[in-house]
Amino acid sequence: MEEQLKTILTEAFGESSDSEGEEQQQLVHSHCVENRDNGEALTGSVFGESHDWEKISEIDGLWLCKDFLSPDQQSKLLSSIQKEEWFAQSSSNQAMRFGDLPGWAVELSSSIHEAILFDNCVAELESCEKGKEACIFPQDLLWRKPLFDQLIVNMYRPGEGICPHVDLMRFEDGIAIVSLESSCVMHFTRVENETCRDQDPPQKVPLLLIPGCLILMWGEARYLWKHEINRKPGFQKWEGQEIDQKRRISVTLRKLCCTD
């Protein structure tokens, strides 16, 4: 475990002297003591910023960070997207990029990496068994290079959503979605198989996405659950209240499968 921690610290901070390394390890150990998991939520300090992570208990591999982007960061990200002029025409509502991503998207990917780095470390240091249960993002995915190389930005007008789907198999495990502007409810439904089609309709798990939040999908959440957003009148309710639907922007980052 100490060697794993040393590797993580080297990746995060670069090479350091023995005394600096001891200080870094002490910093992480203090972080672990002060920020043990509390039920299904983890709180961690990431490079001076505090983030709350919620594990969605019904679905393995689904995590929500409600406070990923501050209002100012959201504004800057929206400004960067607007400068691309992807949605200048009224008929345009989606933009996709492969490989060479815009600078702001690369920066967003780096921010996602940093936001989960120390909290994954916390989970690992607790215990191997507990770390598996509390892993926000698998290490083999977190350290792949690049972390993401495919970008899709969607602009949804009021009433527009997305049908139930599992992301294409041309993409690797591990998907990140940042939600901007209007709040919405995303529903998850487990993929049906031949043995359960005659049974009761599959359970839907709702997830409230607020502006600036980040969701991570990997493992079962990525492959065994469909996700959808139905923004037709009457479908967007949370705790009995209808959500005021306005324009919504979503930024999805994925990694293309190797073709070798």
Side-chain angles (χ1 to χ4, degrees):
M1 190 64 65
E2 290 183 359
E3 287 300 318
Q4 289 180 321
L5 176 58
K6 184 177 180 180
T7 300
I8 291 174
L9 290 172
T10 300
E11 290 280 355
F13 299 104
E15 296 291 343
S16 60
S17 64
D18 291 341
S19 60
E20 290 174 335
E22 291 177 0
E23 291 178 0
Q24 291 170 357
Q25 290 199 29
Q26 183 61 42
L27 171 65
V28 175
H29 279 284
S30 298
H31 171 90
C32 295
V33 172
E34 295 173 1
N35 297 287
R36 296 181 187 278
D37 56 308
N38 180 17
E40 295 174 357
L42 290 175
T43 302
S45 175
V46 183
F47 303 122
E49 296 184 10
S50 177
H51 292 281
D52 291 333
W53 292 94
E54 179 184 355
K55 181 181 185 299
I56 308 306
S57 59
E58 299 93 337
I59 305 175
D60 288 340
L62 180 59
W63 287 81
L64 170 67
C65 181
K66 294 180 180 178
D67 62 343
F68 176 61
L69 293 179
S70 68
D72 182 59
Q73 290 170 326
Q74 294 173 51
S75 178
K76 290 179 179 178
L77 179 55
L78 284 168
S79 177
S80 296
I81 294 173
Q82 184 176 0
K83 288 178 181 178
E84 300 287 352
E85 297 186 345
W86 289 329
F87 310 129
Q89 298 182 359
S90 59
S91 59
S92 300
N93 61 4
Q94 184 182 85
M96 301 181 73
R97 293 295 180 270
F98 297 83
D100 188 16
L101 304 184
W104 58 264
V106 175
E107 183 179 350
L108 180 63
S109 178
S110 297
S111 297
I112 292 172
H113 182 275
E114 292 180 1
I116 61 181
L117 176 61
F118 273 10
D119 284 304
N120 261 0
C121 180
V122 170
E124 288 184 5
L125 291 175
E126 290 291 337
S127 69
C128 291
E129 180 179 356
K130 195 171 187 180
K132 183 177 180 181
E133 294 176 354
C135 180
I136 296 171
F137 207 66
Q139 290 292 348
D140 60 328
L141 301 183
L142 182 62
W143 294 110
R144 65 190 179 191
K145 294 184 181 299
L147 179 58
F148 303 110
D149 60 7
Q150 196 272 336
L151 166 73
I152 179 168
V153 181
N154 285 305
M155 187 269 288
Y156 300 100
R157 300 176 182 88
E160 294 179 340
I162 187 167
C163 296
H165 71 284
V166 172
D167 282 40
L168 298 174
M169 295 300 111
R170 66 187 295 190
F171 302 108
E172 290 187 12
D173 197 3
I175 296 170
I177 302 175
V178 175
S179 192
L180 300 168
E181 297 194 300
S182 182
S183 296
C184 73
V185 179
M186 176 179 282
H187 283 94
F188 288 80
T189 309
R190 191 169 179 86
V191 176
E192 296 182 80
N193 56 45
E194 295 296 334
T195 62
C196 67
R197 286 184 178 176
D198 296 331
Q199 299 177 5
D200 294 333
Q203 174 191 10
K204 280 192 175 183
V205 178
L207 187 63
L208 178 64
L209 306 184
I210 64 174
C213 78
L214 163 70
I215 61 171
L216 301 175
M217 297 187 294
W218 53 270
E220 289 192 9
R222 187 264 184 268
Y223 293 109
L224 300 183
W225 289 79
K226 297 178 182 180
H227 54 281
E228 66 177 301
I229 298 176
N230 187 342
R231 297 217 303 167
K232 295 178 180 178
F235 286 89
Q236 282 292 304
K237 291 185 177 181
W238 188 258
E239 296 182 346
Q241 299 294 318
E242 187 82 22
I243 294 176
D244 181 21
Q245 297 185 49
K246 300 177 182 178
R247 189 183 75 163
R248 175 177 176 266
I249 300 288
S250 71
V251 180
T252 300
L253 290 163
R254 302 179 286 201
K255 176 75 167 66
L256 283 162
C257 292
C258 296
T259 56
D260 297 339

